[in-house]
Amino acid sequence: MSYIPTIDEGSCIGQGDCMDLLPEVFQVDDCARVIGTGPDDGLLKAARECPTEAIVLVDSRTGEQVYP
Ligand code: SF4
């Protein structure tokens, strides 16, 4: 669990795919917000499946953005 997710609120359309995949990490009302942590592979899958690339992942070990 080294990836830190954040939401680009200007890009999120709030349709909830991320919450369906990782309800322990994402909660969606009008917009997604991060409520917890999850496995890196699950976070990467959620980020890749987000239709608007609103999920930003940063590697906490290196500080580098890994997605998008
Ligand atoms: S999948 Fe992307 S667009 Fe959909 S609610 Fe999550 S962050 Fe927002």
Side-chain angles (χ1 to χ4, degrees):
M1 276 193 250
S2 63
Y3 292 172
I4 307 290
T6 56
I7 302 297
D8 176 355
E9 294 184 3
S11 298
C12 177
I13 57 173
Q15 59 28 302
D17 284 357
C18 55
M19 182 169 64
D20 292 342
L21 273 173
L22 289 176
E24 70 276 25
V25 179
F26 301 104
Q27 183 166 333
V28 180
D29 297 309
D30 291 337
C31 180
R33 61 191 174 95
V34 176
I35 59 167
T37 58
D40 287 350
D41 58 348
L43 290 169
L44 198 53
K45 179 174 170 60
R48 285 181 172 145
E49 293 191 6
C50 172
T52 60
E53 294 192 334
I55 299 172
V56 178
L57 300 178
V58 171
D59 189 327
S60 62
R61 292 170 302 190
T62 64
E64 290 183 19
Q65 185 171 318
V66 293
Y67 197 89

